Amino acid sequence: MTVSCFCRRHDRAPAVDALAGQWFTSVNSRGFAAPDQQHLNDAGYRYLAGKISSALDDLAKAPAVEQCR
């Protein structure tokens, strides 16, 4: 999982970074593309939901030193 901290002045919020995590690659993207090649198909949305769910679970379990401050 890749977590980034995005800052706005004094507030910080953890964010899951799908690009840095390379969730979609040239190898797997074709299997997840809808016919218009611009959106995900059903398999792509299932894959994305699973990745987000895992990343959020990992983020919730992360020790305080790994979370944004």
Side-chain angles (χ1 to χ4, degrees):
M1 174 193 64
T2 301
V3 175
S4 300
C5 293
F6 291 96
C7 303
R8 271 195 182 168
R9 294 190 183 189
H10 303 290
D11 298 330
R12 292 177 180 253
V16 176
D17 190 341
L19 295 177
Q22 297 181 344
W23 291 358
F24 293 97
T25 65
S26 60
V27 174
N28 71 8
S29 290
R30 282 180 247 182
F32 298 140
D36 66 5
Q37 299 297 306
Q38 299 296 313
H39 298 91
L40 296 174
N41 60 19
D42 290 345
Y45 282 114
R46 280 191 296 275
Y47 171 78
L48 183 59
K51 290 293 217 175
I52 290 170
S53 179
S54 290
L56 292 175
D57 287 344
D58 290 347
L59 183 60
K61 296 176 196 169
V65 295
E66 294 179 18
Q67 295 179 359
C68 296
R69 293 178 188 225

